[in-house]
Amino acid sequence: MIEYANHIHSAYPDVSWCFEPTVADKIESELGFDIYAPQPDCNTHYNDTIDLTSTLGGDGTILHAASLFATAKSVPPVLSFSMGTLGFLGEWKFSEYKRAFREVYVSGAPSPLSPGSDDMPMVSDGGSGPRAADNAGWSSVRGKTMGKARSSRILLRNRLRVGIFSTEGERLPHEPPFAHQDSKCEDIFALNEVLLHRGALPHLAHITILIGSGPQQKVLTTAIADGFLVSTPTGSTAYSLSSGGSIVHPLVSSILLTPICPRSLSFRPLVLPANTPITLRIDSENRSKEVEVSIDGVRRKQGLRAGMEVRVVGEEVRTAGAPGSRDWVGGVPSIVRSGGAVDGDDHWVGGLNSLLKFNYPFGEHR
């Protein structure tokens, strides 16, 4: 972190750093420049001040970063360096941080040149940043594409919009860390999944699953299981995968419904369109006092009692309008490899093969 921060400050002096309070307290004395951090008890909306989020760690670190914007409809791009155990979501190696940040810094606006032009700015310094003798630095190419040398792109990851409701149908307020002093009682956004689970109690959870809303709402079934997952395509390689759910490409706009250890052998995972409203209602026959609910791994302190509901729908990432006139909104913009000749395979396919060992043959080495 110290090496990364010092490089950015040296090569891109107009970039300011904002850390979480616990991180800022640990590294402030080791940095030779001013940094920013919100007050621990302030819970400032990060989306009001942050233009780019960068993580160093595993998939859990990325989920934590996304949770900082769980009540925000707009999320800044996320540049992730894999330093964890699995790192399926972490796209870049830390040794590539100079090159990765350079591409983020100089991109973001259309090139003034015509498509396919060979005159786009090319950079051959290895990504170390502007030379000291170059007074213009990167300001001369900021906001421009990098032509054929560009090896990254934006992958917009869909989120789930989650609301929790009382037995009377009233929306319940957020709990920390999602609660903010100026937060209205709005939905929470989840990057991976919503989990309902029986917890430490011995009885199976009884969860009624309803599809649709209003007069068109229909009861799908009542799940009798250890728990139930509603996941995004991004979350399809997390808890849902371990529970027997399908693997879904992050560009497929969908919602995954996955039971956890169901009592019935015929209860299979489902994949539905992302705009399908899903309601999970704690059934009156549920024997346990409460059912635990977690959003992206953050467990709600107060569980759900019989009659309470969790309402989930996929986040809308396009504005309304005719095809070709709609803009991208919402979602979590993740900076990934382009999958071109520079980096080889598509990042998602490469992750399946190298990290998850997809269809790996027994007794053979590859």
Side-chain angles (χ1 to χ4, degrees):
M1 175 63 75
I2 301 299
E3 178 184 347
Y4 183 42
N6 282 330
H7 166 72
I8 302 303
H9 177 72
S10 174
Y12 311 90
D14 59 334
V15 174
S16 299
W17 280 89
C18 179
F19 293 92
E20 289 189 84
T22 54
V23 178
D25 291 342
K26 294 179 180 179
I27 69 172
E28 182 179 13
S29 60
E30 301 183 52
L31 297 175
F33 53 90
D34 292 334
I35 60 176
Y36 302 89
Q39 295 297 325
D41 57 348
C42 182
N43 290 328
T44 301
H45 284 299
Y46 284 93
N47 58 294
D48 291 339
T49 55
I50 303 300
D51 298 310
L52 172 72
T53 303
S54 189
T55 66
L56 283 72
D59 291 353
T61 308
I62 298 174
L63 288 179
H64 173 71
S67 72
L68 299 177
F69 305 91
T71 57
K73 295 181 180 180
S74 177
V75 180
V78 179
L79 176 62
S80 305
F81 297 98
S82 179
M83 302 178 68
T85 305
L86 181 60
F88 192 80
L89 301 182
E91 185 65 21
W92 301 86
K93 298 177 182 178
F94 180 69
S95 59
E96 302 173 302
Y97 72 85
K98 294 180 180 179
R99 164 191 163 197
F101 189 87
R102 180 198 67 194
E103 292 209 6
V104 175
Y105 186 86
V106 301
S107 65
S111 171
L113 303 176
S114 60
S117 171
D118 293 329
D119 296 326
M120 292 183 180
M122 304 289 286
V123 182
S124 58
D125 70 335
S128 60
R131 294 181 294 275
D134 184 3
N135 295 328
W138 286 105
S139 60
S140 61
V141 294
R142 186 178 184 181
K144 300 178 182 178
T145 64
M146 300 203 51
K148 297 178 181 179
R150 191 170 192 169
S151 57
S152 63
R153 61 185 175 87
I154 287 289
L155 171 64
L156 192 61
R157 298 185 181 273
N158 295 44
R159 297 184 296 176
L160 300 174
R161 199 171 75 236
V162 186
I164 301 177
F165 294 80
S166 69
T167 55
E168 292 78 22
E170 297 179 354
R171 189 187 299 269
L172 298 179
H174 304 318
E175 288 185 355
F178 303 123
H180 297 277
Q181 289 181 349
D182 55 348
S183 175
K184 298 178 182 179
C185 201
E186 298 176 345
D187 292 331
I188 296 173
F189 292 97
L191 176 60
N192 254 15
E193 76 243 335
V194 180
L195 164 67
L196 272 67
H197 198 274
R198 65 182 177 89
L201 300 174
H203 306 295
L204 294 177
H206 290 237
I207 304 169
T208 299
I209 305 163
L210 301 99
I211 306 295
S213 59
Q216 288 75 38
Q217 189 177 66
K218 303 292 183 181
V219 176
L220 175 66
T221 187
T222 296
I224 304 177
D226 278 352
F228 198 80
L229 285 160
V230 182
S231 307
T232 63
T234 296
S236 69
T237 54
Y239 199 167
S240 177
L241 177 63
S242 301
S243 301
S246 300
I247 300 176
V248 180
H249 194 283
L251 290 181
V252 179
S253 182
S254 57
I255 294 180
L256 289 76
L257 307 182
T258 309
I260 302 173
C261 299
R263 187 176 68 177
S264 172
L265 294 178
S266 63
F267 196 169
R268 310 307 304 162
L270 297 176
V271 180
L272 300 176
N275 60 355
T276 305
I278 309 294
T279 299
L280 307 178
R281 180 185 299 157
I282 308 304
D283 194 78
S284 58
E285 295 185 8
N286 191 69
R287 297 176 62 186
S288 301
K289 182 180 179 181
E290 291 182 342
V291 172
E292 293 184 358
V293 56
S294 300
I295 300 175
D296 277 350
V298 179
R299 182 170 63 88
R300 183 179 170 86
K301 295 179 181 179
Q302 187 69 42
L304 303 184
R305 301 182 302 278
M308 298 179 70
E309 296 180 348
V310 177
R311 301 177 188 175
V312 185
V313 69
E315 177 187 19
E316 181 58 59
V317 297
R318 298 290 296 272
T319 58
S325 64
R326 298 187 297 171
D327 293 326
W328 294 102
V329 295
V332 178
S334 303
I335 301 164
V336 301
R337 301 180 188 276
S338 64
V342 176
D343 296 303
D345 294 335
D346 177 87
H347 78 286
W348 187 78
V349 175
L352 288 184
N353 290 329
S354 63
L355 298 175
L356 297 183
K357 305 297 182 184
F358 183 71
N359 197 30
Y360 195 81
F362 290 102
E364 297 184 18
H365 296 282
R366 290 197 286 184

